[in-house]
Amino acid sequence: MNVQFARRMENVQPSAIRELLRLGADPSIISFGGGYPDASIFPLEQLNAVYEEAIARNGQISLQYTVSNGIPKLREQIAQRMGRDGMACTAEDVLILQGAQQGLDLTAKLLIDRGDIIITENPTFLGALIAFNPYEPRYATVRIDENGMDMEDLERVLLATKNAKLLYTVPDFQNPTGVTMSEERRRRLIELANRFNLIILEDTPYREIRYQGKSLPTLKSLDTEGRVIFVGSFSKILAPGLRLGWAVASPGIIQKLGLLKLAVDTQCSTLNMTAVSLFLERFDIEQHIRLIRQTYLRKKELMLATIRQTFPQDIRFTDPSGGLFTWLTFPDGFDAAKFMLEQSLPKAKVAYVPGATFFPLKQETNHARVSYSTQQDEIIVKGITALGQLLKSELH
Ligand SMILES: Cc1ncc(COP(=O)(O)O)c(C=O)c1O
């Protein structure tokens, strides 16, 4: 049968990394590819207790349909946490989402007509491109360095494109590079957004996983005209399988996002929302987040120390103050995807994510995203050492 797919499906293709990650799924392979949290520190006992309570005590409510914006109690708890992070808001300003990923999809659905321009960091989170592509946008990209998005380059892009509508950024411990936008640049970004009438989508799944340095104000907290859509997630501070995140935005935007959410999936799981709400009430999530920070700091230090010891000197890497990833930059001309397929998978049994796929327009082949969150300490040392030895023989 000749299925006549919608035109938007032209932009919906399996990504090249799916194939590469499939090769990395072999249990004998050490994968630094996926951005999975360390499952060994999921708070299983506590989650077990709140699920039991949600069903045994409140099952008739927690297994029932609820309002599409999410159960009021959880929205209120999130609003309180947002307030402590400098974003005064109420439960009414919060929309519960099926993970942050749904916020990316709904925002594009809300704002993007075919051909509209979305500005992203270069490179940017692949999952965002996957969410945006069905809405048939065009992309404009902005250079980033160790202080995040370069505002001079952004201004140049804005002057050149004129009618960009949406800017997508991961200001804290960006995926894939691990870099954080400086406070000065955050303030400048808000000025530029006001001047050029841009909506900013601020995606923050790693914000609370800061293990070094002081926290910087969110773009939302600096927002003077209600043009920032803030998206948060429980995936990295609790567990991704819960599929719970949230958006905070101005009333007009939250209301429309809520209508789209209703159309897509009616609501998030009442049971999961109830369990997370009980978790926040009964247990100290800040204490759990401290454990996550300690764990990832230790793993980052271990991975970077091993990289320093075993990698050729001309491979650069980022040293993030939070989050899950370091970003490797190999010498010009190096093809990280080819090297993985032909060398690191068969010979060192190590997988990472080749960097090309994170570039919306012009793909650079000489990068890789490496995650230190998932693997246990001894495996990090073993895998990185094997990769380093192979790189040394390849590059010298
Ligand atoms: C930058 C970024 N945004 C969004 C997501 C999606 O997160 P969630 O599990 O909350 O949907 C991820 C997941 O890795 C991410 O890295």
Side-chain angles (χ1 to χ4, degrees):
M1 195 177 84
N2 181 17
V3 181
Q4 300 208 336
F5 291 110
R7 190 188 60 206
R8 74 179 70 86
M9 291 309 292
E10 285 165 25
N11 296 326
V12 181
Q13 302 293 339
S15 78
I17 71 163
R18 269 183 37 168
E19 180 59 12
L20 291 167
L21 290 177
R22 192 183 60 76
L23 294 167
D26 169 350
S28 70
I29 301 280
I30 299 175
S31 178
F32 300 116
Y36 285 26
D38 183 343
S40 74
I41 54 171
F42 287 161
L44 297 185
E45 273 181 31
Q46 298 170 338
L47 284 169
N48 197 31
V50 291
Y51 272 92
E52 193 179 315
E53 183 176 346
I55 294 179
R57 287 227 219 138
N58 299 316
Q60 289 174 348
I61 296 169
S62 63
L63 292 166
Q64 187 56 282
Y65 284 119
T66 185
V67 288
S68 71
N69 282 21
I71 60 171
K73 181 76 196 278
L74 181 59
R75 282 157 55 207
E76 197 179 301
Q77 289 163 313
I78 290 170
Q80 277 170 12
R81 295 192 84 240
M82 294 288 88
R84 289 199 286 279
D85 195 8
M87 292 166 282
C89 64
T90 69
E92 290 299 301
D93 305 316
V94 178
L95 171 68
I96 310 281
L97 299 165
Q98 200 83 243
Q101 187 69 24
Q102 185 170 48
L104 311 187
D105 171 58
L106 295 184
T107 299
K109 195 171 197 173
L110 179 71
L111 298 173
I112 300 302
D113 289 316
R114 186 184 192 204
D116 283 346
I117 292 172
I118 303 179
I119 299 179
T120 72
E121 283 141 351
N122 196 41
T124 188
F125 171 49
L126 174 65
L129 301 177
I130 290 171
F132 300 155
N133 281 343
Y135 302 101
E136 305 178 88
R138 288 178 293 147
Y139 294 103
T141 58
V142 178
R143 219 164 57 78
I144 55 171
D145 58 27
E146 64 281 8
N147 292 311
M149 199 178 248
D150 177 334
M151 292 301 137
E152 276 178 28
D153 197 37
L154 173 60
E155 189 169 4
R156 186 190 58 73
V157 168
L158 286 167
L159 287 168
T161 51
K162 291 211 172 58
N163 56 350
K165 250 189 187 170
L166 175 65
L167 180 140
Y168 169 73
T169 177
V170 184
D172 298 291
F173 324 118
Q174 197 234 18
N175 184 355
T177 60
V179 303
T180 291
M181 192 188 292
S182 69
E183 181 166 347
E184 194 191 327
R185 289 188 181 181
R186 290 173 194 236
R187 293 184 187 278
R188 182 84 184 115
L189 175 53
I190 295 295
E191 284 170 17
L192 288 170
N194 290 348
R195 183 171 137 210
F196 287 90
N197 192 24
L198 273 181
I199 297 289
I200 298 174
L201 176 53
E202 177 177 29
D203 185 15
T204 67
Y206 309 106
R207 175 166 175 81
E208 296 184 68
I209 318 287
R210 173 182 279 280
Y211 30 75
Q212 287 163 312
K214 85 173 195 347
S215 185
L216 300 177
T218 61
L219 294 166
K220 182 79 219 153
S221 71
L222 303 172
D223 184 12
T224 50
E225 298 186 351
R227 34 178 88 256
V228 177
I229 301 174
F230 176 98
V231 174
S233 175
F234 284 106
S235 288
K236 304 301 184 321
I237 57 173
L238 209 44
L242 297 165
R243 304 309 305 131
L244 284 176
W246 64 92
V248 174
S250 61
I253 292 179
I254 281 295
Q255 194 228 354
K256 287 216 160 41
L257 287 174
L259 294 175
L260 291 175
K261 161 100 184 151
L262 179 68
V264 173
D265 61 3
T266 318
Q267 57 162 97
C268 291
S269 149
T270 318
L271 179 61
N272 288 356
M273 289 191 282
T274 306
V276 170
S277 173
L278 284 170
F279 185 97
L280 295 175
E281 195 170 285
R282 303 268 183 272
F283 303 107
D284 183 358
I285 194 170
E286 310 309 329
Q287 188 186 339
H288 179 61
I289 295 172
R290 281 196 289 279
L291 170 67
I292 296 174
R293 290 186 190 131
Q294 281 164 16
T295 307
Y296 294 171
L297 173 60
R298 187 192 71 237
K299 289 181 176 207
K300 179 199 78 164
E301 300 288 13
L302 186 63
M303 180 176 276
L304 296 196
T306 315
I307 288 178
R308 284 187 193 99
Q309 277 164 21
T310 63
F311 275 31
Q313 297 284 318
D314 48 1
I315 298 175
R316 287 180 289 130
F317 52 91
T318 56
D319 184 350
S321 307
L324 274 55
F325 311 108
T326 179
W327 177 248
L328 306 180
T329 300
F330 303 97
D332 285 344
F334 186 88
D335 185 335
K338 186 162 179 278
F339 181 78
M340 184 165 117
L341 273 182
E342 293 176 3
Q343 305 272 345
S344 98
L345 280 176
K347 294 186 186 160
K349 300 264 178 208
V350 169
Y352 48 77
V353 185
T357 175
F358 298 101
F359 293 88
L361 297 175
K362 187 167 166 288
Q363 305 211 320
E364 295 178 17
T365 61
N366 62 322
H367 304 276
R369 190 193 75 181
V370 182
S371 161
Y372 41 78
S373 57
T374 322
Q375 301 292 356
Q376 299 308 305
D377 294 13
E378 60 284 2
I379 305 292
I380 292 178
V381 174
K382 186 175 164 203
I384 292 294
T385 305
L387 188 58
Q389 281 164 355
L390 207 56
L391 283 164
K392 271 193 174 146
S393 57
E394 172 78 10
L395 290 172
H396 297 290

